Amino acid sequence: MSSKRHILTAVAWPYANGPRHIGHVSGFGVPSDVFARFQRMSGNNVLMVSGTDEHGTPIQVLADQEGVSARELVDRYNRIIAEDLVALGLSYDLFTRTTTANHYAVVQELFTGLHRNGYIFSKTTKGAISPSTGRTLPDRYVEGTCPICGYDGARGDQCDNCGNQLDPIDLINPRSKINGETPEFVDTEHFMLDLPAFAELLGDWLKSKQGQWRPNVLKFSLNLLDELQPRAITRDLDWGVPIPLEGWRDQPNKRLYVWFDAVIGYLSASIEWAKRSGDPEAWRKWWQNGEAEAFYFMGKDNIVFHSEIWPAMLLGYSGQGARGGEPGSLGALNLPTEVVSSEFLTMEGRKFSSSRRVVIYVRDFLERYDADALRYYIVAAGPETQDTDFTWAEFVRRNNDELVAAWGNLVNRSISMAAKNIGHIPEAGELTDVDRAVLDASKAAFTTVGERLNRAQFKAALQEAMRTVAEANKYISDQAPWQLKKTDPKRMATVLHVALQLVSDAKTLLTPFLPASSNKVYEMLGGQGTWTGMPRLEEVTDSIGGEDGVSTYPVITGDYADNEARWESIPIVPGTPLKPPTPLFRKLDQSVVDEELARLEEAAG
RNA sequence: GGGCCGGUAGCUCAGCAGGUCAGAGCAGGGGACUCAUAAUCCCUGGGUCGCGGGUUCGAGCCCCGCCCGGCCUACCA
């Protein structure tokens, strides 16, 4: 554990068709940040990248509905999403977007490499297009009468009434779900990624992860291998990355499929980060170093893209599929070390749905409550290994009983006793067995909590960390330093010293989960410098997107390398002045539950 | 239709490779204390582990069937 590891923390790219809700950030956002912060504190070299995913039919359709360009739409939501993720304290080294010149170039390079190695071939298929726009009409955007059961609301891919799988061309009276017009079925040529060429390698790779990955991810992925088929990676659409081949590059209505370009974002964002950091080759340490590790975080709906398609693309580009080949000009690229998937968060028993307005947006949440309160809830009660339900009653309870009453109160009672009675961090006198035992337990927690964090078991890690908080509260109650004030002031000083050391340790243990409030505790204890870095928005320029060919956009970045936070018990310094503390967390009134439920009912109408 | 996951005390959830596995937190009840945002600490109640079969000396944990919920099903991400 002494050598520094290179750890890529690859975070799923939120789709820029609207603001993100708390279900989204509980899947990819908070878990990835807890992991990255812990790894940095452990002394490892972390590169945490992501961005907004901005291409594809849904964005084009939404833009048309609103009467704006796709570019205008994604500019709007890219900014909103980036602001929300900063507000949550997610410590991206770079959070960018898929509509940058750099991303286009890297995507085209990957395509070219895969094509040259023979893993991409073209095929003519019959597909539905919208006569008025010429764009592909995805199967689910075609409606009509089911040829099997006669149900009128069948979609092009499936009939919701009889459950049969359909082909859109078989629908009776097909119509576009977007504008009602009758789709045309035309021959259209598309490129396919030859996934079967990777089936064997993927299978070996996945089997080597037994016992390491969460079992649901592994089982799901292995099962998919049986039915691996070539997958189309282009669309009839003008909103996307152009296809970098003669005869295709300038076709206005052929673009790479949004999923093909989105997963490449992990690589393009790493390269963009390196360029902006002043060392354009620096990304290679996380992608081509044989020792480097790559952890990918996402919700369960994204597993297939990270355990099958993206690995296949990486293998093919590196010249390692059934057809062999040579690595592209970037060189061979690493496969994921681990694919960490969360399940889904439901909302008061219902599935989140923006369209039905069963939703709590990150922005709305953070306007009324603190980021650490949400982060705490997501880790403690979020969908780590199975779907879980968000309820306002449980949120208020967790906030009040666990954050405020247990942890906040421990900080408050310890520091205020020391500040009022002594005025600074007291020197410890002779330690009793009880003192030593509780201090040892606190030190040991760095190992137990750390082991769980290393294995992406966040819920268990937080439970262990909170156990030290309970032990510290018990220690103080048992030792009753307030009773020692007159009888044995030296002993009181020792007890308070021990208590403050426990507070300091607990603060360190909780830092990955609760960075903002941990910084506050660090300051309360007289710490100097930055304990753990917080992200910031920065405006940068790009050579595409703007009217004159130049645009600016916000990225998330931050300085996390020179922080004071380290994953170990750091001795407190006697003599450090202490001021009476202010409360660490806000206690929420029970009325919050009714207010929020009423708000939800009103919105859902 | 197929694949995967889940259905454990009033509530939210743990139970890692079958034999102290029937648990934690909260809510409820009793007590201690007063440093602290009336917070803390101790004790306590007890649920046919979705339903029906089966394997086993022994099954929440394995197998089969069924019911309910979620995700995916490859042109919605």
Side-chain angles (χ1 to χ4, degrees), chain A residues 100-299:
Chain A
T100 67
N102 172 72
H103 181 71
Y104 277 42
V106 175
V107 168
Q108 293 184 332
E109 166 59 23
L110 265 282
F111 179 96
T112 303
L114 282 162
H115 184 71
R116 189 189 306 122
N117 284 337
Y119 296 108
I120 290 175
F121 59 89
S122 69
K123 183 183 173 189
T124 298
T125 60
K126 209 167 252 320
I129 64 164
S130 156
S132 61
T133 63
R135 294 183 194 127
T136 297
L137 214 43
D139 289 355
R140 294 185 192 191
Y141 282 57
V142 180
E143 285 184 334
T145 302
C146 175
I148 298 168
C149 74
Y151 174 67
D152 188 41
R155 294 174 305 170
D157 60 329
Q158 180 176 21
C159 175
D160 283 337
N161 187 52
C162 66
N164 282 292
Q165 281 213 313
L166 304 175
D167 205 304
I169 203 166
D170 297 329
L171 285 176
I172 301 162
N173 296 323
R175 56 187 181 270
S176 164
K177 199 173 171 181
I178 296 164
N179 58 13
E181 66 187 356
T182 303
E184 270 176 42
F185 293 91
V186 298
D187 284 339
T188 176
E189 189 176 11
H190 282 297
F191 283 104
M192 314 286 286
L193 179 64
D194 188 8
L195 288 173
F198 304 100
E200 197 177 333
L201 274 174
L202 288 174
D204 294 344
W205 174 66
L206 287 170
K207 282 172 195 145
S208 77
K209 303 298 185 184
Q210 303 266 19
Q212 185 187 346
W213 293 15
R214 292 180 186 172
N216 56 338
V217 178
L218 208 51
K219 275 183 158 177
F220 184 83
S221 304
L222 281 166
N223 189 265
L224 289 171
L225 286 178
D226 300 337
E227 305 174 40
L228 225 43
Q229 289 175 28
R231 183 162 174 145
I233 56 169
T234 52
R235 291 290 182 278
D236 294 300
L237 188 72
D238 55 9
W239 180 235
V241 179
I243 298 158
L245 290 176
E246 281 308 310
W248 290 81
R249 192 188 305 272
D250 299 322
Q251 283 196 43
N253 232 20
K254 291 282 185 190
R255 289 292 183 271
L256 291 170
Y257 178 35
V258 59
W259 256 109
F260 184 83
D261 96 71
V263 291
I264 295 172
Y266 300 118
L267 176 62
S268 69
S270 299
I271 291 173
E272 182 184 344
W273 168 83
K275 285 180 186 164
R276 295 193 185 282
S277 76
D279 177 4
E281 303 300 314
W283 63 273
R284 297 184 189 277
K285 290 183 236 170
W286 284 272
W287 286 89
Q288 297 181 322
N289 167 2
E291 305 281 303
E293 299 163 57
F295 289 76
Y296 290 73
F297 293 85
M298 73 217 65

Side-chain angles (χ1 to χ4, degrees), chain A residues 515-531:
Chain A
S517 48
S518 293
N519 279 338
K520 277 195 204 168
V521 176
Y522 180 70
E523 288 163 19
M524 285 179 196
L525 290 172
Q528 300 296 311
T530 302
W531 172 246

